[in-house]
Amino acid sequence: MIDVAARIERLREQLREHEHKYYTLSQPTISDREFDEMMRELQQLEAENPALIAPDSPTQRVGGQPAGEFPTHTFSKPMLSLENAYSQEELVEWGRRAQQLAGTDQLEYVAELKIDGLSMALLYEDGLLSKGVTRGDGRTGEIVTGNVRTIRSIPLRIQEPVSVEVRGEVFLSLTAFRQLNDERELAGHPRFANPRNAAAGSLRQLDPQMTAKRRLDFYGYSIFPTQPSQEENLEWIATLGLKVNPHRQLCRSLEEVRDFCSHWEARRDALDYEIDGVVVKVNSVALQGKLGSTAKSPRWAVAVKFRARQATTKLLNIRIQVGRTGALTPVAELEPVQLGGTTIRNATLHNEDEIMRLGVQINDRILLERGGDVIPKVVSVVEEAPDRRPFEMPDRCPVCGGKVFREEDEAVRRCVSQTCPAKIKEAFLHWAGRRALKIDGLGYKLVDKLVETGLVHDVSDLYGLTVDQLEELERMGRKSAENLVAEIDASRRLEFWRLLFGLGVRHVGERTAQILAEHFGSMDNLGSASQAELEQVHEVGPKLAESIYRFFHERDNLQLIARLRAAGLNMKAKTADKPRIPQVFAGKTFVLTGTLEGLTREEATELIRQRGGKTSSSVSKKTSYILAGADPGSKLEKARQLGVPIIDELQFRQML
Ligand code: IVH
């Protein structure tokens, strides 16, 4: 008995510590599965020894705890969590029990994707969003309405004037997550470990303007009052104008559920958001009532968890990789470990600040995670090795031996040599990449050879390569050479934005390239744009504008573009055949204040953006118009003082 009590106490201590690391510090040191296993062991021991259950045991809590910076809301129905099933057997076991309790073996289930984000309750009163509340401890959550109002897929007014509570998941798409991390890196802030941590951090911002920048998203999965079935609940949520995840299925047997799970486990990487499993729910709400809930979770639902994409392993060494922009990236060399079905040997450490932040040293045991990114990353140190040794960033480029330089506002060191072979080779690989000019067959080895034999110096040289030249390269057959030439030829006719992305202008990602191509329509227009004109484009900030402007004012770059043009590459966007909205607000900045009658703020902002204008949150001399609704704030007074023209909704609509 003494042993059991001691074991229980030890588990509680460990779980409390890991909860703190996970929820409060957002720096877990063990995998979710290891955490669940400890929790299960504790539950089991407590179940066998009910006398030892204590009110402050981690088993007695539904979720994390509100941290106290926001006002709280007590739920009318607790926000429960879900029991996990880690295997098909556990799913079947759950199903059997559900059938038994329901008194039928003809149960219908709804299978939904388990989005890896944060649960959120949205309270609508007479159709208007009145509160957004985090899950907190499941009974009391934090009111974060200001932040929730910045999530574009959450309507401030739903389609029916009803009072309902919609629950669902707030998450960050992988695209938005990568963009956010890139921006943080540029600003010298530590990167977020995964989209969920990033979403959590964003929701708990005290300044909604910060949250707005994070592009959070939302999928609803329950609604109160409820309809007769989960299927109808989801349909109703969608009818009200909220997003419901389209990948769901009504299953008439557990086999169908199982197929749905395997289908999505295999395809999870195709989604632009992280899922960590499938949630299976009994469809009939009447039967849900019959099955009931425990203190922590309903018996009518279960989370089928996918194989973990977290694991622990040993850090054997850190090596430096030189990228296209000359960035020196530390790469972790690992003791090989299985992760979500593949063997992992390397992981990224991003930059030297990240190594400092993690406090990681060679030989330590580390926690590894593979998210939607193909490249796994080091999340934290699990155990410091007795023979650990610190890593030092080199102050010379490990490839060309040239100088490296760290710009003041950047977390990375870069090799500044224009002739560094690593940079040149990476530029070719970027150009040939799937997201750029899609030249299949132009991989590492071939690029190495082409550069080393001097057949190519920059990407424009690719367009002069002949089948004969290629065939002469070691191990290149006639057929492969012909294919490659055909691939290169086809890349001439691809969309203009791909070329733009392929050029590798600093900070111009795929999405930015698309926006720029659409906005300017051609290389000539883009190349002759002033910094101010570039900044007029929504999404283009001063830093990006400067980088683009500089790129188009460097002789080498202009010569490269001229050679590509001569090689017949497409330098025009196909915008002509799309109806274009007249850019009546080009160069204009609007400030919105007060409540508009027929438009939400988001809608007004979008209308302005589509017409080439910008919105800002504060009034200055540069403001073109202030659009004032009912109960305007102090901004109106300021606008009057500065002589900024004030327009109302009607005038605004006329301008459209
Ligand atoms: S149903 C009582 N459906 O998973 C029912 N949850 O581990 C509770 N989640 O806290 C939730 N996708 O944050 C449900 N389609 C989905 C979900 C989902 C993600 C999250 C949710 C919940 C956690 C349970």
Side-chain angles (χ1 to χ4, degrees):
M1 196 64 185
I2 298 234
D3 280 357
V4 177
R7 177 70 189 146
I8 286 181
E9 211 24 69
R10 177 91 187 105
L11 282 168
R12 284 179 187 160
E13 260 168 40
Q14 287 176 329
L15 283 164
R16 281 189 198 111
E17 184 189 326
H18 289 304
E19 277 183 335
H20 177 71
K21 284 186 181 162
Y22 183 94
Y23 290 109
T24 312
L25 307 178
S26 290
Q27 286 188 16
T29 57
I30 57 170
S31 69
D32 293 355
R33 180 177 294 223
E34 285 166 299
F35 182 88
D36 281 352
E37 273 163 13
M38 279 161 66
M39 184 67 94
R40 278 185 172 198
E41 186 187 342
L42 179 59
Q43 276 165 345
Q44 175 93 32
L45 290 175
E46 286 181 352
E48 289 162 7
N49 304 281
L52 296 176
I53 297 179
D56 64 343
S57 170
T59 56
Q60 305 301 305
R61 181 185 8 229
V62 186
Q65 255 177 346
E69 285 156 65
F70 292 89
T72 56
H73 166 88
T74 303
F75 297 112
S76 51
K77 282 171 185 288
M79 272 183 111
L80 298 177
S81 72
L82 293 173
E83 197 63 47
N84 291 328
Y86 284 109
S87 62
Q88 295 303 330
E89 292 75 51
E90 290 187 9
L91 167 67
V92 171
E93 205 177 296
W94 169 83
R96 268 209 209 104
R97 204 169 133 68
Q99 291 175 358
Q100 202 181 23
L101 289 169
T104 167
D105 54 5
Q106 305 280 304
L107 277 183
E108 276 187 349
Y109 311 91
V110 175
E112 300 166 19
L113 299 185
K114 187 171 183 307
I115 317 282
D116 198 7
L118 302 130
S119 30
M120 173 70 58
L122 305 174
L123 279 64
Y124 285 93
E125 274 171 41
D126 303 324
L128 291 179
L129 178 67
S130 66
K131 265 182 205 167
V133 189
T134 65
R135 173 149 166 256
D137 66 3
R139 291 171 218 294
T140 305
E142 289 176 316
I143 304 176
V144 290
T145 318
N147 291 342
V148 166
R149 288 173 75 93
T150 69
I151 303 176
R152 284 157 195 243
S153 50
I154 295 183
L156 303 182
R157 183 199 302 255
I158 45 179
Q159 297 294 332
E160 294 168 29
V162 286
S163 297
V164 291
E165 179 171 338
V166 177
R167 292 181 182 175
E169 202 79 353
V170 170
F171 65 98
L172 202 60
S173 73
L174 289 170
T175 309
F177 169 67
R178 290 184 195 124
Q179 204 180 336
L180 170 61
N181 261 352
D182 289 349
E183 283 164 17
R184 285 177 70 83
E185 177 152 349
L186 281 177
H189 297 309
R191 302 174 69 99
F192 285 112
N194 54 47
R196 194 199 25 224
N197 285 353
S202 309
L203 266 185
R204 307 197 70 269
Q205 288 287 334
L206 290 170
D207 176 5
Q209 296 235 24
M210 292 300 293
T211 315
K213 293 200 181 116
R214 302 279 177 91
R215 313 241 160 230
L216 294 165
D217 210 336
F218 177 83
Y219 280 129
Y221 51 66
S222 18
I223 185 164
F224 306 107
T226 155
Q227 299 285 321
S229 69
Q230 171 64 3
E231 210 186 9
E232 290 158 286
N233 279 337
L234 294 174
E235 276 159 20
W236 192 28
I237 298 172
T239 312
L240 290 177
L242 287 130
K243 278 183 28 176
V244 173
N245 191 283
H247 307 301
R248 55 181 196 267
Q249 191 178 313
L250 182 69
C251 301
R252 298 205 157 74
S253 68
L254 286 174
E255 283 74 53
E256 277 182 52
V257 172
R258 200 186 53 201
D259 290 347
F260 183 88
C261 294
S262 357
H263 176 92
W264 282 107
E265 178 153 21
R267 282 172 191 72
R268 62 196 289 198
D269 286 339
L271 298 169
D272 192 30
Y273 44 86
E274 292 259 44
I275 56 173
D276 59 347
V278 166
V279 182
V280 185
K281 300 170 186 172
V282 169
N283 190 31
S284 150
V285 169
L287 289 178
Q288 287 181 2
K290 201 168 166 191
L291 267 70
S293 303
T294 67
K296 288 189 82 171
S297 48
R299 289 191 201 91
W300 47 264
V302 70
V304 180
K305 298 280 277 220
F306 292 157
R307 269 177 299 172
R309 294 215 280 195
Q310 285 185 330
T312 57
T313 188
K314 183 175 171 182
L315 174 63
L316 300 175
N317 197 11
I318 297 177
R319 97 173 161 259
I320 294 290
Q321 218 167 45
V322 184
R324 173 175 54 88
T325 59
L328 270 53
T329 306
V331 178
E333 293 180 1
L334 309 166
E335 205 164 79
V337 59
Q338 283 291 313
L339 206 61
T342 42
T343 308
I344 306 296
R345 294 186 169 79
N346 297 304
T348 179
L349 281 161
H350 296 294
N351 56 52
E352 57 195 293
D353 289 1
E354 182 74 358
I355 296 179
M356 290 288 285
R357 187 182 74 83
L358 294 167
V360 65
Q361 298 194 7
I362 295 164
N363 288 339
D364 285 351
R365 274 202 88 70
I366 50 115
L367 174 67
L368 197 64
E369 181 174 292
R370 188 163 75 90
D373 282 309
V374 198
I375 312 162
K377 59 197 160 210
V378 177
V379 180
S380 54
V381 176
V382 179
E383 202 183 308
E384 298 180 357
D387 57 345
R388 67 203 304 249
R389 54 192 167 84
F391 169 77
E392 255 182 61
M393 275 303 273
D395 42 23
R396 296 232 146 226
C397 171
V399 175
C400 70
K403 277 199 196 111
V404 297
F405 182 69
R406 178 172 169 166
E407 264 175 59
E408 236 169 66
D409 57 348
E410 280 203 344
V412 283
R413 295 186 194 207
R414 290 176 200 279
C415 166
V416 290
S417 158
Q418 286 300 328
T419 53
C420 174
K423 284 168 72 170
I424 294 175
K425 288 175 191 171
E426 290 294 333
F428 275 94
L429 291 170
H430 174 73
W431 181 264
R434 214 161 27 95
R435 299 187 300 155
L437 287 122
K438 302 200 281 191
I439 307 178
D440 250 11
L442 190 63
Y444 271 101
K445 291 202 177 119
L446 189 56
V447 166
D448 260 1
K449 247 182 248 163
L450 288 171
V451 174
E452 266 149 36
T453 52
L455 275 178
V456 296
H457 303 279
D458 67 51
V459 292
S460 71
D461 295 331
L462 291 172
Y463 296 87
L465 289 173
T466 64
V467 175
D468 288 341
Q469 279 176 322
L470 287 171
E471 205 187 350
E472 271 178 34
L473 290 179
E474 226 184 315
R475 273 196 304 201
M476 181 84 158
R478 180 96 195 155
K479 191 80 203 125
S480 323
E482 281 171 1
N483 285 346
L484 186 61
V485 169
E487 287 274 341
I488 294 173
D489 181 45
S491 76
R492 289 185 163 96
R493 292 175 290 280
L494 291 178
E495 302 95 314
F496 167 52
W497 68 260
R498 291 183 173 274
L499 162 73
L500 196 54
F501 175 62
L503 283 174
V505 183
R506 278 284 286 288
H507 311 320
V508 175
E510 194 181 355
R511 173 94 192 104
T512 312
Q514 288 166 354
I515 292 170
L516 291 171
E518 162 117 4
H519 189 97
F520 290 98
S522 71
M523 186 72 93
D524 289 337
N525 289 348
L526 175 61
S528 55
S530 69
Q531 234 161 290
E533 279 167 332
L534 287 162
E535 272 191 60
Q536 287 308 324
V537 183
H538 195 73
E539 270 122 351
V540 176
K543 194 158 187 161
L544 181 56
E546 191 195 322
S547 162
I548 300 168
Y549 184 83
R550 273 216 280 192
F551 182 89
F552 282 102
H553 287 78
E554 247 170 57
R555 213 187 49 199
D556 287 352
N557 296 334
L558 295 179
Q559 286 174 348
L560 174 64
I561 291 169
R563 286 196 295 274
L564 289 168
R565 193 191 297 273
L569 275 98
N570 176 19
M571 305 230 170
K572 280 207 175 87
K574 278 196 246 110
T575 40
D577 33 271
K578 259 202 232 158
R580 255 176 84 88
I581 302 174
Q583 302 290 293
V584 287
F585 294 153
K588 302 269 188 283
T589 305
F590 286 75
V591 172
L592 277 56
T593 180
T595 318
L596 300 174
E597 278 266 298
L599 284 173
T600 63
R601 256 174 202 240
E602 286 70 19
E603 285 162 351
T605 306
E606 185 58 18
L607 289 169
I608 294 167
R609 192 190 70 81
Q610 287 169 346
R611 285 157 184 76
K614 274 184 147 183
T615 52
S616 161
S617 55
S618 56
V619 185
S620 75
K621 275 196 214 132
K622 288 195 197 136
T623 311
S624 320
Y625 298 100
I626 178 146
L627 171 54
D631 306 322
S634 59
K635 291 176 193 167
L636 193 65
E637 196 37 50
K638 177 130 189 243
R640 283 210 182 95
Q641 284 167 11
L642 293 171
V644 173
I646 299 165
I647 55 170
D648 63 15
E649 194 171 338
L650 189 65
Q651 288 166 307
F652 176 67
R653 285 187 184 275
Q654 285 164 349
M655 290 163 84
L656 299 176

